[in-house]
Amino acid sequence: MADKQFRVYFGNEPATEEELGSIESIVVEQEVDMAWEARLQFPLCMDEAGSWRGLDEDLNKKFSRVRIEIDPGDGQFIPLIDGPLVGYQGDLSSQPGSSLVHFRFQDDSAKLHRKKKPKYLENKSFQEIVEELFKEIETIESVEVDELKETQESVDPVLFQRLSNMRVIQEIAEYYNKHGYVLPAETVGKSIGCLKSYPNELASDGPPPLVVVGSGRNISDFHVEAELSKKKRVRSFSFDLGTKSIRWHESSFENTNLLGDAEATDGEQEDEDEVLIVPAPSRVDAETYAQGKTDAGSMVLKGEGSLSHECYHGVLQPYQMVTVKAGETKVSTNYVITRVTHTITPSIYTQSFSLVSNAISDVSISSTPEEAIF
């Protein structure tokens, strides 16, 4: 496997050799339902005239936008972020070599958050509304939206009070237990607007498995915990103005699509009900809403860890599914990635991550365990 490489674009142009050489570190924070952010750190120095070089330049022109890509060693560059400058911070010191400037960039959801005005959306489906709001940003070149099932054939007008475009998209996504977010596109300087559910199967081009022990170990540390007190059953209702009737629906963890062999909750736990009210007026039927809340509540298994930079040859990103191999244990199962921190310096590339799952592996533990080896 070849060495890991990274490349950077400033304002849609490849960074010069001098610019790349001046970068001390890059940190990219990616998390579900949040704007992804990159922080680039450069050294500052003072010239003979007493002026700080690197701080007083026209920053908005030089670093108006950044794109960062990483090649894990297979020759394929994967974009981590592509978005505008949102701020900077200077740390000035009288000690030589101690002054720094940090530039902060976010993905194009930062632009969606800036557009905030009352929106009266008449005779449009949720799907049309989401696509229209994404396309108001010229750097979003395409939109990928899951089917959004609605209860009425002729949709009622919808008024969103002074919410940003991104908040409206995320509010619609929450009705369906989906996620509204922006991903970097293949084209430099462009993004993809998405409203999607978590995946429920492994992708053929997804990240390699995370191996905790044994041959092929590539994780430095892994912490896992399970929350077993979650209520396993959800009931919801909505009021139908046309028929003046109430529609009820009940769902439980048993109806969710499991990521592994068996439910992650304790099978002996007594079921309890949680009654939810569908926001009114709503185009979301009680069945869809209840199932969405059930699916979200079923993610009771959570993991955190960091990768061994020398042994893992992949790039983790949120909204992907990945397999954890931790030996003969129930927590060796499939997880959805919810957070990744990428740290890049001229000499090292590291990743730390958070995961969730609703399933465990169906392993049988011997009643006469062999002697522990560590």
Side-chain angles (χ1 to χ4, degrees), residues 3-6 20-21 23-26 70 309-310 343-350:
D3 292 339
K4 299 177 176 65
Q5 307 176 79
F6 72 96
L20 284 176
I23 298 174
E24 290 208 342
S25 68
I26 299 172
I70 192 83
H309 72 279
E310 294 177 341
T343 303
I344 304 168
T345 71
S347 59
I348 197 170
Y349 167 55
T350 63

Side-chain angles (χ1 to χ4, degrees), residues 67-344:
R67 179 184 177 92
I68 297 166
E69 300 179 347
I70 192 83
D71 167 14
D74 60 4
Q76 301 294 319
F77 281 92
I78 298 172
L80 300 181
I81 191 170
D82 196 325
L85 175 72
V86 296
Y88 70 91
Q89 172 189 338
D91 296 329
L92 309 182
S93 172
S94 60
Q95 301 299 317
S98 299
S99 299
L100 300 167
V101 61
H102 312 262
F103 295 99
R104 290 196 305 116
F105 301 84
Q106 290 186 347
D107 64 26
D108 279 327
S109 62
K111 294 182 177 179
L112 289 162
H113 276 298
R114 289 178 192 156
K115 283 186 169 287
K116 185 180 293 186
K117 59 185 179 182
K119 299 175 181 63
Y120 185 73
L121 303 164
E122 189 173 10
N123 296 324
K124 293 180 180 175
S125 67
F126 276 154
Q127 189 143 352
E128 291 171 327
I129 292 170
V130 170
E131 291 176 353
E132 181 178 296
L133 295 178
F134 272 131
K135 290 177 179 176
E136 286 187 14
I137 306 301
E138 62 180 10
T139 50
I140 295 180
E141 66 172 12
S142 61
V143 178
E144 298 177 4
V145 180
D146 283 352
E147 180 184 5
L148 303 177
K149 183 180 177 184
E150 300 190 31
T151 57
Q152 304 167 17
E153 293 184 359
S154 59
V155 295
D156 294 331
V158 176
L159 174 63
F160 289 100
Q161 302 286 354
R162 299 197 66 82
L163 296 176
S164 69
N165 282 11
M166 195 66 215
R167 187 58 210 143
V168 172
I169 292 168
Q170 290 178 329
E171 195 163 287
I172 293 173
E174 288 171 9
Y175 293 156
Y176 295 88
N177 186 37
K178 297 181 185 293
H179 304 272
Y181 55 95
V182 170
L183 294 177
E186 290 297 319
T187 308
V188 176
K190 299 294 182 181
S191 299
I192 305 169
C194 301
L195 192 151
K196 292 187 166 188
S197 303
Y198 283 156
N200 54 24
E201 59 183 19
L202 292 166
S204 59
D205 58 350
L210 307 179
V211 183
V212 181
V213 295
S215 175
R217 177 176 179 266
N218 53 32
I219 291 185
S220 299
D221 57 89
F222 185 60
H223 169 79
V224 64
E225 63 180 56
E227 174 55 67
L228 302 180
S229 63
K230 288 272 189 178
K231 296 175 180 177
K232 299 174 64 176
R233 186 176 300 158
V234 171
R235 287 189 292 162
S236 69
F237 70 86
S238 60
F239 185 66
D240 189 328
L241 292 174
T243 61
K244 296 183 173 58
S245 61
I246 294 176
R247 292 193 296 258
W248 283 89
H249 185 76
E250 181 176 293
S251 181
S252 75
F253 284 8
E254 297 173 355
N255 305 119
T256 60
N257 292 319
L258 296 179
L259 304 183
D261 299 328
E263 286 182 43
T265 52
D266 185 348
E268 297 179 358
Q269 182 188 1
E270 184 179 351
D271 288 358
E272 298 181 27
D273 292 346
E274 180 175 3
V275 179
L276 299 173
I277 302 173
V278 178
S282 174
R283 306 173 185 181
V284 186
D285 65 84
E287 178 182 359
T288 301
Y289 192 75
Q291 189 59 54
K293 292 297 180 185
T294 304
D295 292 343
S298 68
M299 294 288 185
V300 301
L301 194 61
K302 300 179 180 179
E304 292 184 349
S306 56
L307 300 178
S308 172
H309 72 279
E310 294 177 341
C311 301
Y312 191 77
H313 301 286
V315 177
L316 302 178
Q317 303 218 54
Y319 308 109
Q320 294 179 324
M321 187 185 292
V322 68
T323 300
V324 172
K325 297 182 177 180
E328 291 296 318
T329 169
K330 293 181 178 181
V331 299
S332 290
T333 186
N334 296 322
Y335 294 78
V336 174
I337 303 168
T338 57
R339 180 195 62 81
V340 185
T341 300
H342 307 265
T343 303
I344 304 168

